[in-house]
Amino acid sequence: MALVGIVHLGLGAFARAHLLPATAAAMAARGESHWGVLGVSLRHAEVRDALAPHGFEYTLALRDADASGQPREQRETIRCLLGMLVAPEDPRAVLEAVAAPATRIVSLTVTEKGYHPDPADLARPEAPRSTLGFLVHGLALRHARGLAPVTLLSCDNLASNGRTLRSRVLALTSELDAALAEWIARECTFPNSMVDRIVPKNDDLAVVTAEPFFDWAVEDRFAAGRPDWSVHGARFVAHAEPYEQLKLRMVNGSHSAIAYLGVMAGWATVDRAIGEPALRRFVEALMREEIEPTLAGRVDTDLAAYRARLIERFANPALAHRTRQIAMDGSQKIPQRWLATVRDRLARGASIERLALAVAAWLHFLRGIDEAGQRYPIDDPLAADLAALGSDAGALCGFAPVFGDLGHEPRFVAPVARQLASLRTRGVQATLEALP
Ligand code: CS2
């Protein structure tokens, strides 16, 4: 009988295609039954309701195409999920799971917007609503009961995700209880990790579809042990931040650029978009000319090979990864995907024309109607603020929650305004073709 050793907050498709298969493989290879996973949904019951009838077993379907271009699929049944909680139904159960003596790791895939503090949670020790609220009050129970510390493992696409989580947890905890904050800072660990696997949203919640590619670089700093995820291809490293930077800038940075240009041009999926020669040339040049020079010397990775592999992953014809899906939550994604690169380039006096086109594509996308006149919703926690900005490029770039001080930087605003004007007047295709 497996035991719960990992409580996972935000059990969406990504965790079911990444952390869980790696954990199942580690448990099987090492004969360790104490790393079972208890999943937590922070908002909805739908995943729990879909999986409960199957005893929380589900299918992972890895899809790509063979050498002749024929789609193929490899199916695996994942069995390490032992149960699921739905936080709004029973917040107390979630707190007790974080505080259970057998829990050693609390892992998270709550997306970029899941890391914002909700100060109201300080006054809701029995029924917090935010991720940080559950962590702080759950850790308070552990501490009050004299239990061992745990590892808090962020598996989200944030820069320095462990360090970010640590500072957010400690900031909130300090307002509650200084001794608790001190215990967390001293005893609990927050490894940084780079996670990579493309996992499109699937309507059938009992089947998770993903690409075969899997990558995970995780800092080996665990307060109470960890499964041997290396049997599934994870790499335990001393410092994951360079790998996070590489992945966020190359994979996610390109992805978001493809998403906004693709939505506007009517290219519904990533493989459809990358099949457009002008877009593919743009994405390759974006990486080679503007992103890779900011990474050289920081990672021991062959960047040209990484880029070629990435283009192949984007071209995977069996995933149907929707550009609209990637386009959501732009305000939360863009700073770490593009703007860190922009800042690095400007600091070196280097050009940012292609990054500026990516930013312009997002601003253009915010009008909510594509080039064929099709309307779509802007799914973004800051949608209302963004809608109030109007259409002037300078005003849009002045939106500080996303652009910070870049809004005052003419070397940023001018090329963005130029590319935005081109998208508006000439459209995506002609703008891409006008690039060198
Ligand atoms: C994507 C990511 O939806 C998105 O924003 O860019 O989910 C991406 O597929 C993964 O990070 C790949 O590892």
Side-chain angles (χ1 to χ4, degrees):
M1 254 301 269
L3 283 177
V4 171
I6 301 177
V7 174
H8 186 81
L9 306 184
L11 194 83
F14 182 76
R16 286 189 290 139
H18 197 272
L19 175 77
L20 271 65
T23 301
M27 289 171 74
R30 297 281 175 254
E32 293 179 344
S33 58
H34 59 276
W35 291 116
V37 179
L38 177 65
V40 176
S41 290
L42 273 319
R43 274 184 288 280
H44 307 295
E46 54 189 13
V47 178
R48 192 267 322 269
D49 291 349
L51 299 187
H54 310 287
F56 300 100
E57 287 186 10
Y58 62 91
T59 301
L60 175 63
L62 301 180
R63 293 188 184 158
D64 64 354
D66 65 18
S68 66
Q70 286 306 306
R72 61 181 174 188
E73 180 182 86
Q74 198 189 318
R75 289 190 161 230
E76 191 188 338
T77 302
I78 306 296
R79 299 198 167 85
C80 62
L81 183 63
L82 304 183
M84 279 196 71
L85 301 172
V86 179
E89 285 178 9
D90 192 354
R92 185 79 212 171
V94 178
L95 295 168
E96 286 296 339
V98 173
T103 299
R104 296 153 183 260
I105 295 173
V106 179
S107 49
L108 294 84
T109 44
V110 293
T111 79
E112 296 84 348
K113 62 181 176 247
Y115 289 76
H116 295 303
D118 177 356
D121 269 354
L122 287 173
R124 292 193 284 247
E126 302 283 320
R129 292 181 198 158
S130 66
T131 302
L132 295 177
F134 279 107
L135 292 178
V136 169
H137 294 300
L139 292 171
L141 289 179
R142 284 196 88 84
H143 183 232
R145 293 172 187 173
L147 293 169
V150 291
T151 300
L152 294 111
L153 180 63
S154 169
C155 300
D156 279 297
N157 287 318
L158 295 175
S160 308
N161 56 7
R163 202 144 55 90
T164 303
L165 177 63
R166 183 176 192 271
S167 69
R168 304 274 160 95
V169 166
L170 291 179
L172 199 63
T173 311
S174 318
E175 294 186 36
L176 191 72
D177 176 345
L180 174 62
E182 212 249 310
W183 177 75
I184 295 172
R186 201 183 53 237
E187 305 276 341
C188 293
T189 59
F190 297 77
N192 292 304
S193 76
M194 175 279 285
V195 293
D196 195 4
R197 175 168 261 177
I198 294 173
V199 186
K201 192 169 153 61
N202 195 5
D203 291 336
D204 178 356
L205 294 171
V207 179
V208 181
T209 58
E211 62 173 340
F213 181 93
F214 172 96
D215 198 7
W216 192 8
V218 55
E219 290 176 356
D220 203 359
R221 297 189 283 113
F222 287 79
R226 47 132 176 105
D228 186 4
W229 292 307
S230 68
V231 303
H232 194 71
R235 293 175 280 161
F236 291 105
V237 299
H239 301 289
E241 282 163 326
Y243 298 98
E244 291 188 276
Q245 212 171 58
L246 166 74
K247 193 268 175 171
L248 283 167
R249 294 182 182 195
M250 295 284 277
V251 181
N252 299 106
S254 302
H255 237 178
S256 288
I258 293 168
Y260 299 117
L261 292 163
V263 169
M264 295 315 285
W267 303 324
T269 61
V270 174
D271 63 302
R272 167 77 183 79
I274 207 77
E276 286 291 329
L279 184 91
R280 181 185 170 133
R281 259 197 319 277
F282 163 73
V283 174
E284 282 174 334
L286 172 69
M287 290 195 266
R288 189 183 57 240
E289 307 294 331
E290 298 191 12
I291 303 175
E292 289 169 32
T294 71
L295 298 165
R298 293 190 187 173
V299 283
D300 54 359
T301 304
D302 176 342
L303 295 171
Y306 189 92
R307 178 195 338 129
R309 183 77 193 275
L310 190 49
I311 295 285
E312 269 175 37
R313 293 170 62 198
F314 290 155
N316 186 335
L319 287 179
H321 196 192
R322 298 182 59 76
T323 44
R324 277 202 201 168
Q325 186 198 331
I326 301 164
M328 71 182 285
D329 289 349
S331 69
Q332 312 295 300
K333 294 174 171 176
I334 282 166
Q336 62 274 17
R337 293 183 178 204
W338 298 335
L339 302 182
T341 315
V342 165
R343 290 192 169 89
D344 273 6
R345 304 254 329 148
L346 292 179
R348 298 170 191 203
S351 69
I352 56 157
E353 207 58 41
R354 295 179 184 85
L355 288 156
L357 173 54
V359 172
W362 178 55
L363 299 175
H364 193 37
F365 159 88
L366 291 175
R367 73 178 190 175
I369 177 165
D370 71 15
E371 290 181 347
Q374 189 86 35
R375 291 190 177 277
Y376 50 82
I378 304 298
D379 192 347
D380 191 303
L382 300 185
D385 304 289
L386 291 164
L389 293 175
S391 61
D392 175 69
L396 288 162
C397 290
F399 188 60
V402 172
F403 298 114
D405 54 357
L406 283 173
H408 304 293
E409 170 55 81
R411 291 179 303 153
F412 174 69
V413 180
V416 171
R418 190 162 57 236
Q419 294 296 348
L420 184 56
S422 173
L423 288 172
R424 284 174 177 162
T425 55
R426 299 196 285 179
V428 170
Q429 186 79 41
T431 300
L432 290 172
E433 278 164 10
L435 287 167

